[in-house]
Amino acid sequence: MDSPSMRGRVALVAGASKGIGAATAEAFAAAGYSVVLAARDPAALASVARRIETHGVDALAVPTDVSDVGSMRTLLDRTLERFSRLDAAFNNATDGPMPAPLAEIDPDQFDRGIATNIRGTFLGMKYEISAMLGGDGGAIVNMASVAGVNGTANLAAYVAGKAGIIGLSKVAALDYADQGVRVNVVAPGPILTHHLEQAGPQAQRGAALSTPMRRVGTPDEVAQVVLWLCSSQSSFVTGAVIPVDGGQSAGNKPPQMYRQGQPMAPDAQPAKEESA
């Protein structure tokens, strides 16, 4: 069944300059939403805004630091000044240190990861919820990760930040479940964004083989889950953490199983990797 047009509705995407955020902003636009774009890079935001306008909808680009109270207030003030409503929001901004064992992480870099992920998501929801309560309600989706559910070595700030986002989202979902505002979380596994593209073919193969589907996901696949969570088709869903991970969070799928008491064939081949 085709999704209904969202003409007249407004979506906000924080962390919209590239990757999953930009893909989700374009998906909102393709569905008919006017889109507010927030990120720190004005030039990148302007580029995304131009692409969105090709869908025949309005785009408002607002350079924003999600960890700053004044910046987030300005973002929501400008949204309401321009559109007088907010129906959907996707809090996607992230930052933090490069991968390293916990004891080697610089405390300031750790704080930066927490400020962007946890404080940024808190501030986003604080002002988005206020805007939605002043209108017809709405839906918020926050970006976490399977790493925020299960943990991943060498990613202390990232894991802590994403786990914190999950906790915050559940509290917000409970706080506003009976007031017309739904809050959910997407938790992607390996997705072919610019980070994984720049890491090269070997990293991409390793990421693909880490999932039971034996491939990486695409930003568009995450974007479509966000759109569903913001639509009336998910109207009884709140407080949920939705994995978009090719089965990673379900458990382990070894490339080959051995039988007890029998040697594994030396020429056994690992499961075939599918293309992304």
Side-chain angles (χ1 to χ4, degrees), residues 106-192:
D106 179 82
D108 290 339
Q109 293 293 308
F110 181 86
D111 289 346
R112 183 161 61 93
I114 298 303
T116 304
N117 283 286
I118 297 182
R119 179 178 170 86
T121 300
F122 163 74
L123 291 175
M125 288 196 291
K126 176 178 174 64
Y127 296 112
E128 291 154 4
I129 289 168
S130 295
M132 291 173 177
L133 291 175
D136 299 323
I140 297 172
V141 179
N142 294 322
M143 171 64 87
S145 166
V146 292
V149 178
N150 297 324
T152 299
N154 297 307
L155 295 178
Y158 185 79
V159 168
K162 296 307 185 182
I165 286 171
I166 290 171
L168 276 175
S169 301
K170 290 183 176 182
V171 171
L174 294 169
D175 284 347
Y176 297 98
D178 56 355
Q179 298 181 56
V181 176
R182 297 185 297 108
V183 182
N184 292 291
V185 176
V186 287
I191 304 296
L192 190 61

Side-chain angles (χ1 to χ4, degrees), residues 15-205:
S17 60
K18 54 191 172 184
I20 293 170
T24 304
E26 292 192 62
F28 274 125
Y33 287 85
S34 295
V35 185
V36 181
L37 306 166
R40 288 175 296 189
D41 186 340
L45 284 182
S47 177
V48 177
R50 287 192 294 270
R51 296 201 301 271
I52 283 174
E53 288 167 347
T54 66
H55 294 281
V57 300
D58 290 336
L60 173 64
V62 184
T64 303
D65 177 356
V66 299
S67 68
D68 180 75
V69 171
S71 188
M72 290 302 292
R73 281 178 175 162
T74 298
L75 171 63
L76 270 298
D77 286 346
R78 291 192 60 186
T79 297
L80 295 178
E81 287 169 4
R82 176 76 169 268
F83 299 110
S84 300
R85 64 185 294 150
L86 179 64
D87 302 283
F90 179 39
N91 294 308
N92 173 65
T94 191
D95 200 354
M98 295 294 288
L102 186 147
E104 298 176 15
I105 295 173
D106 179 82
D108 290 339
Q109 293 293 308
F110 181 86
D111 289 346
R112 183 161 61 93
I114 298 303
T116 304
N117 283 286
I118 297 182
R119 179 178 170 86
T121 300
F122 163 74
L123 291 175
M125 288 196 291
K126 176 178 174 64
Y127 296 112
E128 291 154 4
I129 289 168
S130 295
M132 291 173 177
L133 291 175
D136 299 323
I140 297 172
V141 179
N142 294 322
M143 171 64 87
S145 166
V146 292
V149 178
N150 297 324
T152 299
N154 297 307
L155 295 178
Y158 185 79
V159 168
K162 296 307 185 182
I165 286 171
I166 290 171
L168 276 175
S169 301
K170 290 183 176 182
V171 171
L174 294 169
D175 284 347
Y176 297 98
D178 56 355
Q179 298 181 56
V181 176
R182 297 185 297 108
V183 182
N184 292 291
V185 176
V186 287
I191 304 296
L192 190 61
T193 64
H194 57 286
H195 294 297
L196 188 52
E197 287 175 346
Q198 292 170 355
Q202 182 175 350
Q204 292 164 24
R205 283 193 295 272

